[in-house]
Amino acid sequence: PEAQTEAVRNMLAMLTPPTANINDGPEAVKALALATDDSWFAARCWIEYANLLSRRGRTEEAVKAWLRAPVFHPAERDLAARGTILAARGLQQMDRAADGLQLIEHFIADNIGSQYSEVMKIEAAKLNPALLKTSKPKASDTAAPAGEPAPAPAAGTPTTP
């Protein structure tokens, strides 16, 4: 824990470097991600690295970095889920919402029964608003096939002559 605490302090120092060149921050965080043997810390570094890239308008690079958490550190489930969601949102910003939706659907399929399933379904609905709508049966859906009598209306349902 002490080594991890020191590593977090170093990461925070690199995120806000006292130098004039603010672009040193992302590469320093990437270097930490590559150098550590701690899976949780590496996944966290990749997400922070991607966040920094995204803030600088480098969305495509950010999506790739966000995906490093679920791909290379799947055991870190909370960070893998976060990386997947952020990557899907990034894809949506790049006008690739369908790809983001597919990413989330794969996560759900790979993690059946996961505590993150409901969150992922909500994120999927944000990418595809049609998933939020509840569909009411159309009159044509309840009509009887040709040549068969129409089903009787449910009790208490008003009928029109």
Side-chain angles (χ1 to χ4, degrees), residues 8 64 70 76 81 99 108 112 126 129 144 150 155:
V8 170
K64 292 175 186 176
E76 308 305 333
D99 291 334
I108 292 169
I112 295 172
K126 289 178 185 177

Side-chain angles (χ1 to χ4, degrees), residues 111-134:
N111 297 282
I112 295 172
S114 165
Q115 64 191 27
Y116 302 103
S117 293
E118 287 304 311
V119 172
M120 288 297 186
K121 289 175 185 174
I122 292 168
E123 287 297 324
K126 289 178 185 177
L127 292 171
N128 184 359
L131 296 174
L132 287 174
K133 297 178 183 174
T134 56

Side-chain angles (χ1 to χ4, degrees), residues 9-152:
R9 281 191 197 119
N10 290 340
M11 181 176 79
L12 291 174
M14 289 180 196
L15 289 174
T16 54
T19 64
N21 187 358
I22 191 128
N23 290 322
D24 289 345
E27 295 311 313
V29 175
K30 180 180 178 181
L32 277 174
L34 292 169
T36 187
D37 290 334
D38 184 297
S39 181
W40 180 90
F41 185 69
R44 183 68 197 180
C45 286
W46 283 117
I47 289 174
E48 290 306 322
Y49 172 65
N51 290 342
L52 290 168
L53 292 174
S54 178
R55 286 186 209 125
R56 286 164 174 75
R58 296 163 56 185
T59 308
E60 188 171 347
E61 291 173 79
V63 167
K64 292 175 186 176
W66 279 316
L67 287 174
R68 284 181 163 271
V71 171
F72 294 112
H73 308 284
E76 308 305 333
R77 297 212 185 274
D78 58 332
L79 295 174
R82 182 179 296 173
T84 301
I85 289 169
L86 292 170
R89 289 178 183 172
L91 287 167
Q92 183 180 31
Q93 290 174 0
M94 297 166 49
D95 295 324
R96 294 178 54 193
D99 291 334
L101 182 60
Q102 187 177 30
L103 188 65
I104 287 177
E105 288 171 348
H106 283 287
F107 184 92
I108 292 169
D110 290 345
N111 297 282
I112 295 172
S114 165
Q115 64 191 27
Y116 302 103
S117 293
E118 287 304 311
V119 172
M120 288 297 186
K121 289 175 185 174
I122 292 168
E123 287 297 324
K126 289 178 185 177
L127 292 171
N128 184 359
L131 296 174
L132 287 174
K133 297 178 183 174
T134 56
S135 60
K136 294 182 182 177
K138 300 176 199 168
S140 62
D141 292 342
T142 57
E148 293 184 23

